[in-house]
Amino acid sequence: MTTTPDTKEFKRSPSHFADRITADGADGWPVEAGRYRLVVSRACPWANRAMIVRRLLGLEGAISLAITDPIQDERSWRFTLDPGDRDPVLGIAYLSEAYLAREPGYTGGISVPAIVDVPSGTLVTNDYQQITLDLEREWTALHRPGAPDLYPEHLRDEIDAVIEDVYRDVNNGVYMAGFATRQRAYEQVATRLFERLDALEERLSTRRYLVGDTITEADVRLFVTLVRFDAVYHGHFKCNRTKLTELPALWAYARDLFQTPGFGDTVDFDHITRHYYAVHRQINPTGIVPIGPDPRTWLTPHGRESLGGRPFGDGTPPGPPPTTETVPPLT
């Protein structure tokens, strides 16, 4: 990320490593079961998207998962949750080691999600916008039986339009508000954020999902911001005109998705709150992590079934997550 001196507005840097893993291997990285490792932080919404799509498509056996500590240090995302403080598959202590294996001397940002080539230990991609789309379109030969179509061809134009608006005003909008250092820049992006949330509230008051009658990529992308909204964005990022819980349709929609297999079972509120409040010291100098809100409200009835819809279309729900990937129950 960079900050422009004239407006002090937050700017998200484009992904530096944008190779693609494709069925035909056009970028030199062919789809291959067991070859790649997806590195994530449970705190990160962009990484959460990749985790959800991987679960829904049943790719757990095809691409393994590495989970970093939610707290970074100056050397980047670290594998201190694993025995010996090293990833057991890649053998590295920091994700930066895979970046440097790809580009020696690299001094840019170290971001998740990242996909690493296991045999070489080399980073393949950190293109968070493309990773999920390729899991949906290029990895089809390895999808589980009954995997949903999250990016149906006949709805792609509408999905793309929705996710562009959601990315600009919501996914990235909360960051632009949170890291703004001038009042006018903050007010502009915070206003756009809530105008978009109001429009989504209206859209979702009469339909269960954002596009069509099944879960799509658009829902995955909106969910990861909504699930973090009251816990961190409302207070920590000053997105406080309205809480998610005060927007009836969006709050019910978010709970509906949370209670759908593949969504809530990837969410760790402890990782989320500790990361944002402990790492962003320029916003929260004390590093104090708040005790709320109560995450058990995510399990309350949502009533969205009355709107119809088929969560997985002609497919089926994913099975339980692997035991090594389960999150603590809400208490």
Side-chain angles (χ1 to χ4, degrees):
M1 69 185 103
T2 58
T3 303
T4 55
D6 54 335
T7 65
K8 299 293 184 182
E9 186 173 292
F10 170 86
K11 299 290 185 183
R12 185 170 298 279
S13 301
S15 299
H16 183 73
F17 302 98
D19 286 2
R20 295 176 59 196
I21 302 170
T22 58
D24 63 7
D27 279 4
W29 305 103
V31 169
E32 183 180 330
R35 176 171 175 177
Y36 305 102
R37 190 155 174 83
L38 175 63
V39 181
V40 302
S41 163
R42 290 197 187 276
C44 172
W46 321 107
N48 198 176
R49 286 179 358 189
M51 295 169 66
I52 291 169
V53 169
R54 173 178 171 271
R55 282 272 295 121
L56 295 177
L57 300 179
L59 289 169
E60 295 98 324
I63 179 169
S64 62
L65 187 71
I67 301 171
T68 68
D69 193 302
I71 309 299
Q72 307 122 296
D73 64 22
E74 68 280 359
R75 289 166 291 184
S76 82
W77 296 102
R78 52 189 183 163
F79 295 102
T80 49
L81 302 181
D82 295 304
D85 295 344
R86 288 187 175 272
D87 180 79
V89 174
L90 299 173
I92 57 178
Y94 292 90
L95 179 56
S96 57
E97 296 174 55
Y99 276 68
L100 291 170
R102 169 69 182 270
E103 185 177 305
Y106 175 71
T107 58
I110 309 296
S111 64
V112 289
I115 297 182
V116 179
D117 178 51
V118 173
S120 65
T122 298
L123 178 74
V124 176
T125 180
N126 68 344
D127 190 348
Y128 64 97
Q129 297 281 45
Q130 188 65 40
I131 285 173
T132 52
L133 296 177
D134 282 344
L135 291 177
E136 291 157 3
R137 294 181 299 180
E138 302 293 332
W139 289 70
T140 54
L142 297 175
H143 289 180
R144 65 177 175 87
D149 186 353
L150 300 176
Y151 196 51
E153 190 166 0
H154 69 288
L155 293 176
R156 285 180 186 176
D157 288 346
E158 185 178 359
I159 291 171
D160 289 346
V162 169
I163 64 178
E164 180 179 354
D165 290 341
V166 166
Y167 171 78
R168 181 188 60 248
D169 298 333
V170 181
N171 298 148
N172 202 45
V174 292
Y175 283 86
M176 293 177 72
F179 287 109
T181 57
R182 289 189 179 176
Q183 186 69 32
R184 185 167 180 271
Y186 159 74
E187 290 179 358
Q188 287 176 336
V189 296
T191 298
R192 289 201 304 267
L193 163 67
F194 283 102
E195 287 175 347
R196 181 62 57 193
L197 289 178
D198 288 342
L200 291 167
E201 172 77 5
E202 182 176 358
R203 182 184 184 101
L204 289 165
S205 65
T206 57
R207 56 196 303 166
R208 190 169 181 185
Y209 304 111
L210 282 172
V211 181
D213 67 347
T214 65
I215 292 167
T216 69
E217 173 79 12
D219 299 296
V220 175
R221 295 195 181 204
L222 179 57
F223 170 80
V224 295
T225 297
L226 296 183
V227 80
R228 289 161 174 76
F229 200 89
D230 286 4
V232 289
Y233 301 144
H234 178 269
H236 185 57
F237 278 178
K238 304 180 183 69
C239 300
N240 64 353
R241 190 211 72 178
T242 311
K243 292 180 179 179
L244 175 65
T245 54
E246 296 167 342
L247 295 165
L250 275 171
W251 173 224
Y253 163 81
R255 298 201 315 281
D256 186 5
L257 291 177
F258 185 90
Q259 294 169 32
T260 299
F263 283 84
D265 54 33
T266 70
V267 174
D268 189 320
F269 286 108
D270 173 65
H271 280 212
I272 290 168
T273 54
R274 284 198 292 127
H275 168 76
Y276 281 90
Y277 284 98
V279 170
H280 298 156
R281 291 301 181 97
Q282 71 272 44
I283 299 175
N284 185 38
T286 64
I288 292 174
V289 179
I291 62 172
D294 187 347
R296 291 174 295 182
T297 58
W298 284 90
L299 300 179
T300 58
H302 53 76
R304 297 281 291 179
E305 302 92 344
S306 63
L307 294 174
R310 302 175 300 146
F312 303 100
D314 295 329
T316 58
T323 56
T324 57
E325 298 178 16
T326 56
V327 297
L330 299 184
T331 57

